[in-house]
Amino acid sequence: IGEEAVPSGVSHGMEHRDGGVATYREHGHALLRGVSAGAIMAEMYGKQEGCSRGRGGSMHLYDAGKRFYGGNAIVAGGLPLAVGLGLAEHLRGAAEDGFPVAVCFFGEGAMAEGEFHESMNLAALWHLPVLFVCENNGYAMGTALERSESETDLTLKAAAYRVPAWPVDGMDVLAVEAAATAAIGAIRGGGGPHFLEMRTYRYRAHSMFDPELYRDKAEVAEWKERDPIATFSVRLREAGLLDDAALDAIEAEVASEVEEAIAFAEAGTWE
């Protein structure tokens, strides 16, 4: 729905040993960290075979083996968890090839919460290996950024804590990958926490109860022209890396995986 480039690009800059903490829209993040579609679907069904044994539900996917430390239904709730993960790695000390990195995803609405400022401050003070990734879609749950934040350049908020920070085109998966790879490399080498502001957009309402009175359809249509999946597909075609047959095969594989996940979840056991 517009934000796919952020987790996709960032995940390519991560290693298996790195930890991930996401928001309550963490389904794509979990898949990218290697959690199976079946385990995710079973969790959404509330079945024991789910990645959180059916106890977490859609907003609390979790898999310690994949170092995916969950989504969080509380706005900004994942930021202190990422600082804790970073502190644990800091106390263990760096390996020969550097620190494992805790990567935390959150929306720009979380930056108005106290947890954001506390987390940034501690991460900077203790020089922790944490990457803060802000998915700035401009509207949080339904309030425009300029109506909720006195400073709309979110990188300046991070820079106030002396944390390296820069904006990224969150609609371009290759730009996201490049920025994440650079930031994670610096953190892994002992450079301390970094902050990336991913400037992205969501096309659909926040929820089924959202009438979308805070924006007009023309704005949504304009952002759709920059859709990360469509534009990346064009670039792949131009580079000779994708054609109709390959795309059809990918879509068929995905459809089959979804069907198998649904069947797995429906056949699962209740507690």
Side-chain angles (χ1 to χ4, degrees):
I1 60 172
E3 301 182 10
E4 292 83 3
V6 177
S8 300
V10 173
S11 71
H12 278 272
M14 298 172 66
E15 297 178 1
H16 175 73
R17 59 177 170 156
D18 298 328
V21 180
T23 69
Y24 48 80
R25 296 188 190 277
E26 83 282 35
H27 311 84
H29 298 80
L31 286 168
L32 287 160
R33 293 302 293 158
V35 184
S36 72
I40 292 172
M41 192 68 73
E43 185 61 35
M44 294 171 69
Y45 272 58
K47 300 294 184 71
Q48 287 188 25
E49 291 78 8
C51 56
S52 298
R53 300 182 182 177
R55 297 173 180 270
S58 179
M59 296 186 184
H60 296 280
L61 305 177
Y62 176 91
D63 191 320
K66 302 295 185 182
R67 293 187 60 78
F68 181 69
Y69 296 104
N72 201 300
I74 304 301
V75 174
L79 285 121
L81 300 180
V83 172
L85 292 170
L87 178 60
E89 299 299 348
H90 178 74
L91 293 174
R92 290 190 186 100
E96 290 185 3
D97 54 353
F99 287 99
V101 177
V103 181
C104 183
F105 296 87
F106 53 94
E108 82 282 2
M111 294 184 64
E113 298 288 335
E115 292 95 329
F116 168 77
H117 299 280
E118 294 167 349
S119 297
M120 291 294 295
N121 188 53
L122 287 177
L125 278 174
W126 296 340
H127 209 64
L128 303 181
V130 181
L131 174 60
F132 296 95
V133 181
C134 176
E135 298 175 304
N136 177 14
N137 63 31
Y139 288 102
M141 287 179 63
T143 302
L145 181 61
E146 59 269 18
R147 297 189 64 182
S148 62
E149 296 284 339
S150 59
E151 175 55 71
T152 57
D153 185 345
L154 303 181
T155 60
L156 295 179
K157 291 180 178 291
Y161 294 98
R162 298 182 177 178
V163 172
W166 61 91
V168 183
D169 181 358
M171 306 299 278
D172 182 343
V173 67
L174 296 182
V176 172
E177 179 190 22
T181 299
I184 291 172
I187 297 167
R188 201 180 304 287
H194 282 55
F195 175 96
L196 298 177
E197 180 194 347
M198 301 292 179
R199 296 178 177 174
T200 184
Y201 199 80
R202 60 172 166 81
Y203 311 143
R204 297 179 62 182
H206 174 76
S207 72
M208 62 184 294
F209 305 105
D210 178 3
E212 291 192 88
L213 301 178
Y214 46 85
R215 63 184 182 182
D216 57 50
K217 293 181 179 179
E219 178 182 293
V220 178
E222 183 178 350
W223 275 90
K224 283 186 176 181
E225 294 296 318
R226 298 172 56 196
D227 181 80
I229 297 176
T231 55
F232 186 52
S233 297
V234 171
R235 293 169 76 171
L236 290 175
R237 287 177 182 276
E238 291 175 346
L241 299 173
L242 182 71
D243 57 22
D244 290 341
L247 182 58
D248 289 344
I250 291 171
E251 292 182 344
E253 181 181 355
V254 171
S256 176
E257 184 176 355
V258 172
E259 291 175 1
E260 290 175 4
I262 293 171
F264 176 78
E266 289 183 341
T269 52
W270 299 108
E271 182 178 357

